[in-house]
Amino acid sequence: MLKGSNIHKSFGDLEVLKGIDLEVAPSEVVVLVGVSGSGKSTLLRCFNFLERINEGSIEVDGQVVDPKKHKLSNIRAEVGMVFQHFNLFPHMTVLENVIEAPMIVKKMKKADAIVLAKGLLDKVGLADKADVYPSKLSGGQKQRVAIARSLAMEPKVLLFDEPTSALDPELVGEVLGVMQQLAQEGMTMVVVTHEMKFAREVADRVIMLDEGRIIESADPVTFFENPSHERTKQFIQLVD
Amino acid sequence: MELLETVWDVFLRTYPGFLEATLITLKITAVALVLGTILGLLFALMKISRSKLLQTIANLYITVIRGTPLIVQIMFLYFGITSLIVLSGFWAGAIALGIHNGAYIAEIFRGAIQGIDKGQREASSSLGMTRSQSMRRIVFPQALKRSIPPLGNQFIITLKDSSLVYIISVPELFSMANIEAAQSFQSLETYLVVGVYYLVLVMIFTYLLKLYENKLNVDK
Ligand SMILES: Nc1ncnc2c1ncn2[C@@H]1O[C@H](COP(=O)(O)OP(=O)(O)OP(=O)(O)O)[C@@H](O)[C@H]1O
Ligand SMILES: [Mg+2]
């Protein structure tokens, strides 16, 4: 579904990703962990083409993406992204946030987009907030709207960059709950998170990034109970 | 006390003419601001565009306008334009003020656009919007809203700056005061009166702006 081969990414002299190979199968949930600065966000941003890779290739749904040839906006529409700070559009109501991209990008009729959006808001438990502006929502509600907004484009893969890190602890659960539900419905997901419980219970595979390289990739049980790399052991001790 | 009485006399004698002149001041300010907003938007877009040429043109315009006195720009434009086409002092003055304002308003818009969190553009990109779609639908509406308070300030500055078009004999408030002062030999009183006219206009507008800003904060 999503495949990166030999991804290299540098910012100036700083090489942040040093040859990442990662293939995500349809309906697979991959949790990406690693210490701060290891390149997790950068990798997700490369998968969303918000950053240009210096070397290597990215395939979406079996097609190699060439930024020179393809219209990146078309590809991005197939890869959704959920951000740490939600990035909702503050000048639009919740409903308008969700219908915007289907209408503008997919040229969907407004009436159809509204039906779609209402269904998605219902799914994330926010049907009653459709006409509210984002500033009136709690962090957890904002993030659930952001998820609904991404889902409205019917992406093939959904990327999450620390979706609960900006939330008060008591609001983390409601967002993880929605994500877990998506995973059960077969959504392909790559999730950067420090919520190890989520990794243990929802992930099909946990991957450890360290200084721009994947040093561990295993099912959650093996990853947490029997990691092969010393750095992984240290990391698990640190976060658990 | 005596001064106050003569000021009052001057006020009573001049207000029919001065109110008419106030209207001209407001009109020239409004035209200048509309023109300045259009130019400002255009040059702000050029400045944030990816074309080096457009950026350079916009920078040149902004540098020249900000680096020369308004009164020089007014004279330059007045003699420049009227040597090519027949144009009233009002329109020459309004255009000069408009071009002048364009440079400042361009900076207001540019600042507002660049002040929008880059997460907004990333979110719209990640949803598949093109650069221009995300500008049009996401960035501009927010930037425009944020521009309104500084645009209000610019309006106040322009209102006062418009007095400089007296130099090309536009019968606005300050011109009228000059004429009145010269004819009546009551310069001190006349300029005091005209100063109050400007002050009142500015205070009314400042109040309206405050109302708007409060409303913005409530909305948020
Ligand atoms: N746009 C950029 N320009 C320059 N350096 C950058 C840029 N983005 C990221 N970096 C650097 O790349 C490295 C990896 O950053 P990245 O954000 O991918 O890490 P991360 O694993 O997501 O960390 P965190 O857990 O703190 O979010 C860091 O050293 C960061 O400073
Ligand atoms: Mg990060």
Side-chain angles (χ1 to χ4, degrees):
Chain A
M1 186 58 75
L2 183 66
K3 182 177 175 188
S5 311
N6 192 32
I7 297 177
H8 285 262
K9 173 69 194 174
S10 302
F11 295 107
D13 287 340
L14 179 71
E15 190 174 30
V16 177
L17 299 179
K18 302 169 181 164
I20 300 282
D21 291 298
L22 174 60
E23 182 164 4
V24 185
S27 298
E28 191 180 17
V29 177
V30 172
V31 164
L32 209 56
V33 301
V35 296
S36 179
S38 55
K40 307 179 296 291
S41 296
T42 306
L43 181 58
L44 284 196
R45 293 167 59 81
C46 288
F47 278 141
N48 204 215
F49 305 94
L50 292 173
E51 304 285 356
R52 262 316 151 79
I53 59 176
N54 300 107
E55 209 187 310
S57 67
I58 294 172
E59 271 175 48
V60 177
D61 206 13
Q63 186 190 31
V64 178
V65 178
D66 180 352
K68 291 198 196 75
K69 271 196 258 147
H70 295 100
K71 262 190 85 177
L72 287 183
S73 51
N74 292 343
I75 315 263
R76 288 200 193 100
E78 302 189 341
V79 183
M81 179 120 167
V82 174
F83 301 87
Q84 184 176 355
H85 296 288
F86 332 123
N87 298 345
L88 292 179
F89 306 135
H91 59 304
M92 296 178 175
T93 64
V94 164
L95 186 75
E96 286 165 349
N97 263 274
V98 182
I99 63 175
E100 179 70 11
M103 280 170 55
I104 297 297
V105 179
K106 287 191 170 170
K107 314 288 178 215
M108 192 184 276
K109 283 206 197 71
K110 185 165 184 180
D112 297 338
I114 289 177
V115 172
L116 171 73
K118 290 219 160 133
L120 290 170
L121 287 174
D122 195 34
K123 182 183 183 126
V124 299
L126 290 171
D128 55 329
K129 299 289 183 192
D131 298 321
V132 165
Y133 281 89
S135 56
K136 297 278 188 294
L137 300 178
S138 73
Q141 292 171 330
K142 283 182 190 165
Q143 196 59 295
R144 285 185 283 151
V145 173
I147 292 172
R149 181 178 67 175
S150 287
L151 289 174
M153 288 303 288
E154 298 172 326
K156 294 181 172 135
V157 189
L158 207 43
L159 312 171
F160 294 81
D161 191 1
E162 301 199 28
T164 59
S165 295
L167 301 181
D168 293 336
E170 72 272 19
L171 302 177
V172 168
E174 62 191 57
V175 172
L176 292 180
V178 168
M179 291 167 61
Q180 180 156 18
Q181 188 194 338
L182 285 178
Q184 279 159 2
E185 289 169 8
M187 187 64 169
T188 312
M189 297 163 48
V190 182
V191 184
V192 173
T193 184
H194 295 299
E195 299 294 331
M196 290 305 128
K197 190 162 167 287
F198 179 85
R200 280 176 202 273
E201 291 172 6
V202 182
D204 297 306
R205 189 150 51 113
V206 184
I207 284 176
M208 168 92 184
L209 212 59
D210 188 60
E211 294 181 352
R213 288 194 178 84
I214 291 176
I215 59 167
E216 190 100 35
S217 171
D219 64 274
V221 176
T222 316
F223 186 92
F224 288 105
E225 308 311 330
N226 193 17
S228 58
H229 207 286
E230 196 52 41
R231 302 273 297 195
T232 316
K233 284 178 199 154
Q234 287 169 2
F235 178 82
I236 292 167
Q237 274 175 356
L238 208 70
V239 291
D240 256 4
Chain B
M1 255 7 261
E2 218 168 288
L3 176 69
L4 267 187
E5 262 167 47
T6 46
V7 167
W8 184 243
D9 286 342
V10 170
F11 171 75
L12 287 180
R13 191 177 66 237
T14 56
Y15 84 84
F18 275 19
L19 281 183
E20 219 172 291
T22 302
L23 216 59
I24 296 180
T25 289
L26 286 174
K27 266 192 209 158
I28 204 166
T29 304
V31 173
L33 225 63
V34 169
L35 183 60
T37 303
I38 295 168
L39 288 174
L41 202 56
L42 202 71
F43 282 99
L45 287 178
M46 286 165 73
K47 255 198 108 153
I48 59 167
S49 80
R50 281 179 289 195
S51 151
K52 270 268 170 302
L53 178 68
L54 293 181
Q55 285 175 20
T56 310
I57 294 171
N59 281 331
L60 200 68
Y61 166 69
I62 291 167
T63 308
V64 168
I65 295 296
R66 297 217 296 190
T68 54
L70 174 54
I71 200 157
V72 175
Q73 292 164 17
I74 292 170
M75 293 298 262
F76 185 83
L77 243 120
Y78 180 64
F79 288 109
I81 296 183
T82 51
S83 71
L84 298 173
I85 49 170
V86 184
L87 204 63
S88 67
F90 176 87
W91 281 101
I95 291 170
L97 278 170
I99 292 177
H100 178 80
N101 266 294
Y104 290 91
I105 294 177
E107 289 294 81
I108 289 174
F109 282 144
R110 186 192 56 82
I113 290 168
Q114 290 182 340
I116 301 299
D117 179 27
K118 94 180 189 321
Q120 291 287 306
R121 227 166 306 164
E122 292 189 344
S124 35
S125 297
S126 81
L127 290 166
M129 290 190 213
T130 61
R131 190 179 137 95
S132 78
Q133 284 171 338
S134 103
M135 276 288 169
R136 229 168 352 102
R137 303 283 311 175
I138 308 302
V139 178
F140 286 161
Q142 295 182 57
L144 229 47
K145 204 167 157 186
R146 280 202 204 174
S147 302
I148 286 172
L151 280 177
N153 266 330
Q154 195 59 33
F155 181 89
I156 289 169
I157 294 169
T158 309
L159 185 75
K160 293 185 290 176
D161 281 355
S162 69
S163 58
L164 288 173
V165 299
Y166 85 92
I167 197 99
I168 53 174
S169 307
V170 180
E172 47 67 67
L173 204 44
F174 186 67
S175 283
M176 293 309 278
N178 276 339
I179 295 167
E180 176 63 29
Q183 284 174 352
S184 67
F185 300 105
Q186 289 178 303
S187 300
L188 181 64
E189 293 86 346
T190 309
Y191 288 121
L192 213 120
V193 167
V194 84
V196 171
Y197 271 79
Y198 282 108
L199 186 62
V200 168
L201 289 176
V202 168
M203 283 170 65
I204 291 172
F205 195 73
T206 308
Y207 175 72
L208 293 177
L209 204 60
K210 257 265 139 45
L211 283 188
Y212 178 81
E213 279 177 43
N214 287 344
K215 188 178 156 312
L216 267 193
N217 289 338
V218 170
D219 281 353
K220 265 217 144 179

